[in-house]
Amino acid sequence: MKNQTKGILMKSRSASACIKEGYGLYTKNFRKTMSSSWLTALLYSLVCSALCTILTAYLPETITQTMATRATNSALPANGIVVAAVILALIIIGGLFEIATYSCVIAQLKDEFSSIRKVGKWRLPALDRTTFVRTLIATVANMLIVVVLLAIIVIPTGMLLGMPSGAGDISTKSLIVIALELIAIMMLVLPMAFVSMKYIIRTDTRLWRLIATDYKVGLKHFGFILIVSVVSCIVICLAEYVLALPASILTTANYQANIGVYYGDPLGMPGYINYISAVVFFIAGFIQIYIRISALFTSYYMYGSIEQQEEERRKFKESGMNQSQISMLP
């Protein structure tokens, strides 16, 4: 199976071929993808539903109460702190379920969808713990790198530019500089897409050692990674925008209605709107996670292509050295 996987994955492809074959593999194996990950995706959707419903139903009240406390210099309301804690907890739990869903798909990618691991009386899909842990570590490491770069680059720049506390006083020059710095940070993090996928797939590696040795490989193939990543992001954004449009409209209407209530306007929404919102957000969350999963397939072939190109380059150098040594013999 390892040889079969290597034969399919390790192939030098262009960026367009990685995108085409990646999405082809995604559509061809969509049922197997869902079979291996529907449980964690379902749990993620439940958390997403709860989080979005809280944000649209209770966050407006919390915001208006916070604004009132600032105006009167009084303490923050207790319910605002509770809502903030619940939102933070749901974000963390939802993130874990999302990472678990991705790890289920990556585990199947490593097996080339040859088998679906299922356990239990009702044939529930099993979680590959090794892949989940490595996906979690890679995700946390990328987040830490982004945070460190933000602290090193953006915050000092804001201080040097004299950014004031009021958002209305931020100059256009400051916004342009910070926007360019954010783009630079994204570019610096982009080679980690190759490093992260290699770390997740090859279980005999350590992340920080890979960063030290293979980050420069990602930089070498920066344009290749950029094309695949940008196209994947465009496809995801367009698909999510179209398929999640009902949820976006409901969010906007619900949020504006709740904000208006706390400024003295009538609600203008039915009393069961929160239940409708929860159902819509649940469906939208389930759809969105499987849209985002498609990027794993293009990244998978991107990683294999870079590895194969590097292997071919090493063999070419070795053959050149051997030929030079032979030519030096008397």
Side-chain angles (χ1 to χ4, degrees), residues 27 91 102 163 206 241 270 316 322 324:
T27 54
I91 290 174
Y102 296 154
M163 284 188 61
R206 294 182 179 273
Y241 176 78
F316 180 77
N322 292 333
S324 62

Side-chain angles (χ1 to χ4, degrees), residues 7 29 34 57 69 84 135 137 172 205 214 221 228-229 260 285-286 316 328:
N29 294 279
M34 185 171 289
T69 55
T135 307
I137 292 174
T172 304
T205 58
D214 284 45
H221 298 270
V228 175
S229 301
F286 195 80
F316 180 77
M328 293 174 63

Side-chain angles (χ1 to χ4, degrees), residues 37-55:
S37 59
W38 66 266
L39 180 58
T40 51
L42 187 69
L43 295 173
Y44 164 80
S45 302
L46 289 172
V47 176
C48 180
S49 174
L51 176 62
C52 293
T53 303
I54 290 174
L55 288 175

Side-chain angles (χ1 to χ4, degrees), residues 53-66:
T53 303
I54 290 174
L55 288 175
T56 55
Y58 299 103
L59 191 60
E61 179 182 4
T62 304
I63 292 175
T64 52
Q65 289 180 352
T66 302

Side-chain angles (χ1 to χ4, degrees), residues 190-210:
L190 196 60
M192 284 296 298
F194 166 72
V195 176
S196 299
M197 185 60 73
K198 183 173 182 177
Y199 170 73
I200 296 170
I201 290 177
R202 296 184 55 179
T203 56
D204 59 339
T205 58
R206 294 182 179 273
L207 180 59
W208 298 114
R209 186 175 298 175
L210 276 180

